[in-house]
Amino acid sequence: MMAHATIYVGCTVPQLLRGAQSRIFPSHSPLGVLRHSAFCYCTGNGTIKSKRKMDHLERTANNFRQEVITQAKVCGITNESETVKRLRLAIANKDFTFKAGQWVDFFIPGVSVVGGFSICSSPGLLEREGILELAVKHTAHPPAHWIHTECTLDSEVALRVGDLHGYQEGKGNRHKLGTAKLYYSAKNTSELLFKKNILGLMKAFPGKISCCFHVTQQRSQICKELQPHITEGRISEKDLEKHVSNDTSWYICGPPPMIESISKLLTNIGVPRNRVFFEKWW
């Protein structure tokens, strides 16, 4: 039996701008101009009803957002994979904070579309070094396209923290973490983002944190370090059913079809719905 076990299943893939912010950022400042541009874009398009795909701000219009919009400067760009870039952002505002699991609205000067990207670094890194990191996959979406084709060191952007539910200090999950098992699926090992970090955690917390990497279209040889942890093929019912217990919580992260597939699989093996957690906001 796994006491307080946590299973993570993952896959690689009108309160918008409040009036109070105009007092924080003067309209003539670069950030004020960017705020105004984004505000006009949001309000001008907020009532459009069509079959087009909703953008980030429309989709999350009713979700919690912090009051503060802060400037940030790109201080690092690395290729996390062939399709994903990791941005390191130096945060100017000392009052800027976030909680694990939150995202940022990503404002780019000259780009009317506002991006929404999950934060991939820890709050501790921000506290220690004033740095926040994002991992952004290359797509045709204007903010992601800008990051992959135009963004350079010292590029300036603006950020605001958002969250699906809104954190309340002192509340949340009170049980202690017993063990954490991660099932992580991607096309091939080059698309398994942060695999070195995950392997490091497994070594640092043996018996507490473990991971099974799944690859579905591997063409090259798998390195020796990863081989013991690699399974070829998709995450299956057989993989997950051995972890079913009354004390196990399940967290799913990935594109909507993957989330729906894994949710159905968990239902089939008897996992109660109130033990399954995921977010579909894109």
Side-chain angles (χ1 to χ4, degrees):
M1 180 176 177
M2 302 172 67
H4 300 308
T6 306
I7 311 297
Y8 299 89
V9 184
C11 182
T12 19
V13 262
Q15 287 176 293
L16 294 177
L17 291 163
R18 301 178 183 176
Q21 291 161 0
S22 62
R23 297 192 295 272
I24 303 172
F25 305 109
S27 60
H28 60 271
S29 71
L31 188 56
V33 173
L34 186 128
R35 264 187 63 259
H36 178 73
S37 174
F39 180 76
C40 292
Y41 174 78
C42 298
T43 55
N45 289 277
T47 58
I48 293 176
K49 294 182 179 180
S50 71
K51 293 184 179 180
R52 70 174 177 81
K53 186 177 180 180
M54 288 193 299
D55 69 23
H56 165 68
L57 287 182
E58 291 174 304
R59 189 180 300 110
T60 61
N62 295 319
N63 293 120
F64 165 83
R65 279 176 165 82
Q66 290 185 1
E67 292 282 352
V68 176
I69 298 178
T70 188
Q71 287 179 299
K73 182 177 288 189
V74 177
C75 61
I77 308 173
T78 56
N79 292 322
E80 195 65 33
S81 76
E82 293 179 359
T83 61
V84 176
K85 285 189 182 291
R86 185 197 292 218
L87 286 189
R88 282 176 64 85
L89 299 165
I91 305 300
N93 190 337
K94 301 300 182 183
D95 295 326
F96 182 91
T97 61
F98 73 94
K99 303 290 186 181
Q102 293 182 316
W103 80 74
V104 289
D105 295 333
F106 193 84
F107 301 91
I108 305 165
V111 178
S112 62
V113 179
V114 177
F117 303 118
S118 295
I119 303 166
C120 68
S121 56
S122 69
L125 181 64
L126 178 65
E127 292 172 6
R128 294 190 305 271
E129 302 179 28
I131 297 294
L132 177 146
E133 294 185 339
L134 306 174
V136 181
K137 190 175 181 69
H138 185 224
T139 69
H141 191 246
H145 184 73
W146 179 86
I147 288 170
H148 278 261
T149 61
E150 298 183 47
C151 180
T152 61
L153 291 177
D154 294 329
S155 289
E156 294 187 354
V157 296
L159 309 174
R160 176 181 52 193
V161 172
D163 178 73
L164 278 181
H165 311 291
Y167 277 84
Q168 296 184 44
E169 294 293 341
K171 295 185 179 181
N173 195 339
R174 296 183 180 180
H175 73 258
K176 283 188 175 182
L177 176 67
T179 60
K181 176 74 176 184
L182 173 64
Y183 284 89
Y184 186 1
S185 178
K187 182 173 68 174
N188 53 52
T189 54
S190 68
E191 292 295 326
L192 290 169
L193 308 183
F194 312 116
K195 51 185 174 286
K196 290 184 179 180
N197 303 71
I198 294 169
L199 291 173
L201 287 170
M202 291 167 63
K203 290 178 181 178
F205 301 97
K208 288 288 187 181
I209 298 175
S210 60
C211 179
C212 181
F213 297 102
H214 284 247
V215 291
T216 57
Q217 299 178 41
Q218 185 72 21
R219 298 288 183 263
S220 60
Q221 188 171 353
I222 298 169
C223 69
K224 288 184 179 180
E225 187 179 24
L226 276 177
Q227 281 178 2
H229 311 289
I230 291 287
T231 298
E232 297 205 33
R234 296 184 182 279
I235 300 167
S236 69
E237 185 174 307
K238 185 178 178 180
D239 295 316
L240 303 182
E241 61 185 0
K242 55 193 171 188
H243 301 296
V244 176
S245 80
N246 293 331
D247 295 312
T248 301
S249 298
W250 303 77
Y251 295 85
I252 312 172
C253 179
M258 176 266 187
I259 289 178
E260 290 165 9
S261 174
I262 296 295
S263 297
K264 185 177 179 180
L265 186 154
L266 293 176
T267 298
N268 292 342
I269 61 177
V271 176
R273 290 194 176 199
N274 64 357
R275 304 299 295 182
V276 180
F277 305 90
F278 56 83
E279 296 177 341
K280 291 198 295 185
W281 59 274
W282 57 93

